[in-house]
Amino acid sequence: MLDQKIFGEKLRNHRKNLGFTQEYVAEKIGVSAQAISKWEAGECLPDCFNLKAISDVYSLSADVLLDTQNSGDINSVAGKIEQLGTEFVWANCKDRYGKNLHKELGADLWQMWKGLFFIETGDREKQKEAKAHGNTRICGSYGTKIWDDAGVAAVVRADLIKSLPEASESIAEAIKEIASADGTRLISTLNCEKAMAKSEIIEKTGIELHRLNELLLLFTENRIIDFVSEPRYAAKGYKISGHCGIAAYMVLAAMHVLGKHNYTVSEYFSWGEE
């Protein structure tokens, strides 16, 4: 059952977060400021047409506004996100004969990622400023989150260092080579889906054969890249590994961020932190 008081509080909070006055919202919707005041006080509810108008002005789903159940528990919030994600995926699926039965969520999750973490700033003006920069970093008690519009993104837990095992000499050498000029060219040339023949790699990277063999051996031994041979598809060659290949991309992403001389960052600290 809809709780009018909670509904009114949500309307008021969303309006204030957006920096809107009651008069501004009233003008946009086509009602009086007194009507907005009554809705926010929980004295009465808007009709379906006004509810739709409010949703448009606040850029929120009507379902979000109407949901007055207790959702402060993290499990409840996570459950709703999972439900919305499931509905989103299946809404984009075709019938049983139609192919494209799986919706690729990568680009959509990227949009959600940025939207969620911009909220963490806790300051709407700083949030707008950070969004305008296109490059943002948030530091808090949980750790560091960093991303930019070029596609670099990472979340690093503050206590991660405590759980890291001691790296072997082989791993340390592999990371060093990923960051080398030849290693960077090699990793940047390979992809995760289609295997690339050694001759094609040489053609695209210009790496000499003996040097390429050294890198391929080191990277395959450490499961950063895989050698695959699939006779069915006439595919034979190297591609980024699904095991440790992400580490290679992380190194390249770090190099990208550190190498941006004009990189603008905005830092925000969690409430209560010094």
Side-chain angles (χ1 to χ4, degrees):
M1 184 175 180
L2 183 67
D3 187 315
Q4 289 187 200
K5 288 292 184 183
I6 295 178
F7 175 80
E9 289 176 5
K10 291 180 74 173
L11 284 185
R12 182 173 63 253
N13 290 337
H14 284 305
R15 176 178 60 78
K16 288 186 174 181
N17 286 338
L18 290 168
F20 297 160
T21 63
Q22 290 183 340
E23 290 74 18
Y24 173 83
V25 175
E27 182 181 352
K28 285 288 186 181
I29 294 175
V31 298
S32 66
Q34 185 180 15
I36 303 295
S37 177
K38 286 185 176 181
W39 295 340
E40 291 184 353
E43 295 178 14
C44 60
L45 295 171
D47 60 30
C48 60
F49 300 104
N50 286 329
L51 180 62
K52 174 64 169 63
I54 294 171
S55 300
D56 292 340
V57 172
Y58 293 172
S59 298
L60 284 172
S61 166
D63 292 338
V64 173
L65 292 173
L66 290 171
D67 184 6
T68 57
Q69 299 298 314
N70 181 16
S71 59
D73 177 72
I74 184 62
N75 293 323
S76 174
V77 174
K80 289 182 179 180
I81 292 174
E82 181 179 355
Q83 179 184 352
L84 288 171
T86 301
E87 291 174 358
F88 178 80
V89 170
W90 287 103
N92 286 280
C93 286
K94 299 180 181 178
D95 60 31
R96 59 181 296 184
Y97 302 105
K99 296 186 180 180
N100 194 29
L101 295 178
H102 172 68
K103 171 68 178 177
E104 174 58 65
L105 291 176
D108 303 299
L109 289 173
W110 173 239
Q111 289 295 104
M112 295 179 203
W113 166 287
K114 291 194 290 185
L116 283 171
F117 285 120
F118 274 125
I119 294 171
E120 277 194 50
T121 62
D123 184 309
R124 184 157 291 276
E125 291 306 313
K126 287 184 178 179
Q127 179 180 330
K128 290 179 180 178
E129 181 184 351
K131 233 175 181 181
H133 287 169
N135 309 286
T136 300
R137 182 178 64 191
I138 292 177
C139 301
S141 56
Y142 179 81
T144 298
K145 298 115 185 174
I146 185 169
W147 69 93
D148 69 12
D149 288 339
V152 176
V155 175
V156 182
R157 280 173 40 186
D159 60 353
L160 176 64
I161 189 67
K162 299 175 184 177
S163 61
L164 290 177
E166 185 176 346
S168 66
E169 290 186 12
S170 179
I171 288 291
E173 181 64 23
I175 294 174
K176 175 183 175 182
E177 288 290 12
I178 290 170
S180 70
D182 288 338
T184 299
R185 279 198 294 271
L186 174 57
I187 297 299
S188 301
T189 301
L190 298 176
N191 60 60
C192 301
E193 298 176 0
K194 183 181 178 183
M196 188 176 294
K198 190 180 294 186
S199 58
E200 186 179 358
I201 296 174
I202 293 175
E203 181 182 346
K204 291 189 174 183
T205 64
I207 301 174
E208 302 231 352
L209 180 59
H210 74 280
R211 172 61 171 155
L212 179 61
N213 285 335
E214 289 178 356
L215 292 174
L216 292 176
L217 179 61
L218 179 63
F219 291 164
T220 52
E221 285 181 343
N222 288 283
R223 306 180 85 186
I224 292 168
I225 63 176
D226 288 330
F227 175 77
V228 296
S229 179
E230 300 174 343
R232 263 195 316 171
Y233 305 105
K236 185 176 181 180
Y238 298 87
K239 65 179 182 179
I240 297 294
S241 173
H243 297 285
C244 304
I246 187 63
Y249 283 139
M250 289 173 66
V251 171
L252 295 185
M255 292 168 62
H256 166 78
V257 171
L258 294 172
K260 291 176 71 173
H261 300 295
N262 297 321
Y263 190 80
T264 305
V265 296
S266 300
E267 287 188 4
Y268 303 97
F269 295 86
S270 300
W271 297 112
E273 285 197 349
E274 293 296 324

